[in-house]
Amino acid sequence: EHHHDHNHEHEHHHHEHHGCDCHNHYHHNHEEKKHNRKIKENDKKIKSHTVRLVLGILLMVISFMNIIPNEMINNVVLILAYVVLLLRTFINSVKLLFKSKTINENLLITISCIGAYIVGERFEGLMVIILYEIGKILEEKAVNKSRKSISKLMDIKPEYANKKDGENIEKVDPKQVKIDDIIVVKKGEK
């Protein structure tokens, strides 16, 4: 008798929670879509930053190795390397400067790179932005890895529900469970 009561309590308790579960299910799906969208956006960002970084390094190598035996062309290539590598940081620094009226790391990097170019330390200026860009790409990869791990956790959802119908218990799709249905959760089940 006692065992039966305990079982009933467990079912009832689960059934009470089920009402808010529908909302949670919608909320969960919405969050999951948003989450996956962010992962895709970040993947695109990482690819475009990597392409830019490689292009900038190539331009720098062409300029410093004097592959083209013309000083003026070499200088143009060097300026192009600066533009390619520094553009994103420069845009971010301007955006943040107008938005939050504060001096940020992007602005400091931009100033130090342009400063290095002006005083003739062109290689050092490029190394600053290259290392900064590599750091940014690694940071975005780490963020994406965390997002993917969270995504896997969000995927842990029940494959079936044990719906109680009188004395019988049948396995049904969780989507078929309606409010006021009694479901039984057995030990070790999701």
Side-chain angles (χ1 to χ4, degrees), residues 36-52 88 137 140 144 148:
N36 288 338
R37 201 168 55 239
K38 274 186 180 169
I39 289 171
K40 276 178 189 160
E41 276 170 21
N42 243 27
D43 274 340
K44 274 184 193 166
K45 260 192 204 173
I46 291 165
K47 273 178 194 158
S48 72
H49 295 337
T50 309
V51 167
R52 224 166 24 78
R88 171 176 79 133
I137 290 166
E140 273 154 8
N144 241 19
K148 280 172 185 166

Side-chain angles (χ1 to χ4, degrees), residues 6-17:
H6 173 71
N7 203 11
H8 180 71
E9 254 173 44
H10 181 65
E11 289 159 10
H12 186 66
H13 177 69
H14 192 80
H15 142 79
E16 270 182 357
H17 275 285

Side-chain angles (χ1 to χ4, degrees), residues 82-83 85-97 103-118 121 124-126 128-130 132-133:
Y82 264 92
V83 170
L85 290 164
L86 204 55
L87 194 63
R88 171 176 79 133
T89 307
F90 174 69
I91 291 165
N92 284 347
S93 72
V94 173
K95 270 187 198 164
L96 285 164
L97 195 63
I103 290 170
N104 51 75
E105 59 179 41
N106 294 294
L107 187 63
L108 295 173
I109 294 280
T110 306
I111 292 167
S112 63
C113 288
I114 293 168
Y117 181 84
I118 291 164
E121 300 290 347
E124 283 74 5
L126 281 170
V128 167
I129 186 62
I130 286 167
Y132 179 71
E133 281 289 323

Side-chain angles (χ1 to χ4, degrees), residues 76-87:
V76 170
V77 172
L78 185 67
I79 290 164
L80 271 176
Y82 264 92
V83 170
V84 166
L85 290 164
L86 204 55
L87 194 63

